[in-house]
Amino acid sequence: EACNDKAPCVMQPTTDRPPSRWTQLCLSSIAQHFLTLKVAPVELWLVYLLKFLESYAYFSFSIIFPIYLTQEFGLTDLEAGVMYGAYGMLTSLYGFVMGFAVDNLGVKMSLVVGSILQLGSRLLLTFSGSRFVVKAIIYTLLPMGSALQIPVMTLGIRRYTNDTNR
């Protein structure tokens, strides 16, 4: 049936045609890379899990936090944005300053301490009704936890991978 103004063309997927050779090669290559993870150490899986969870928590936080500050504490959008920007800046600053702690603690302990700080900070933010407590958490505990966790996950991935699963 021909397309016209009254009956627009709708492309229907065809299932009778096999995938092209290029598609098969790409899928095969991707599958081979994922199969190397079967023999990867458990620590690598844990680092990937932490990375996934932290990414989810961070992006959820970045969307909700300014709204939370304006609705729960009556901050203006500008004040909420400044607090969020300060949190990001302090995460970088603490990451630079706390590099020695990461070196001394090692990957595993840095991830444990960073995760505890992150979890505790987020729980305190959830249940706090004090503007002072929220600011204290945003300017100290939360960025410290991020500084101990985010760059260390990259180190963990590098440590627990080799040439075959990298």
Side-chain angles (χ1 to χ4, degrees), residues 96-117:
F96 180 72
V97 171
M98 294 178 70
F100 74 92
V102 170
D103 292 338
N104 291 328
L105 290 172
V107 171
K108 183 179 178 181
M109 191 53 86
S110 293
L111 285 175
V112 168
V113 171
S115 296
I116 290 170
L117 282 173

Side-chain angles (χ1 to χ4, degrees), residues 2-119:
C3 299
N4 57 41
D5 291 335
K6 294 178 185 174
C9 290
V10 177
M11 302 235 1
Q12 296 294 324
T14 58
T15 56
D16 55 344
R17 187 175 56 181
S20 68
R21 179 76 180 137
W22 184 83
T23 303
Q24 290 174 344
L25 286 173
C26 286
L27 291 176
S28 172
S29 174
I30 291 169
Q32 283 178 336
H33 288 295
F34 275 107
L35 288 175
T36 62
L37 291 174
K38 280 176 58 175
V39 294
V42 173
E43 291 87 355
L44 181 63
W45 284 94
L46 291 173
V47 171
Y48 279 141
L49 177 65
L50 275 174
K51 197 165 184 66
F52 171 77
L53 293 173
E54 176 55 33
S55 297
Y56 183 78
Y58 174 80
F59 288 110
S60 298
F61 175 78
S62 67
I63 292 169
I64 294 169
F65 186 64
I67 298 167
Y68 168 73
L69 290 175
T70 56
Q71 290 183 355
E72 294 295 319
F73 297 101
L75 272 65
T76 65
D77 288 343
L78 180 62
E79 292 170 324
V82 167
M83 274 186 76
Y84 181 71
Y87 158 71
M89 180 194 66
L90 287 169
T91 298
S92 298
L93 181 65
Y94 285 140
F96 180 72
V97 171
M98 294 178 70
F100 74 92
V102 170
D103 292 338
N104 291 328
L105 290 172
V107 171
K108 183 179 178 181
M109 191 53 86
S110 293
L111 285 175
V112 168
V113 171
S115 296
I116 290 170
L117 282 173
Q118 293 281 52
L119 178 64

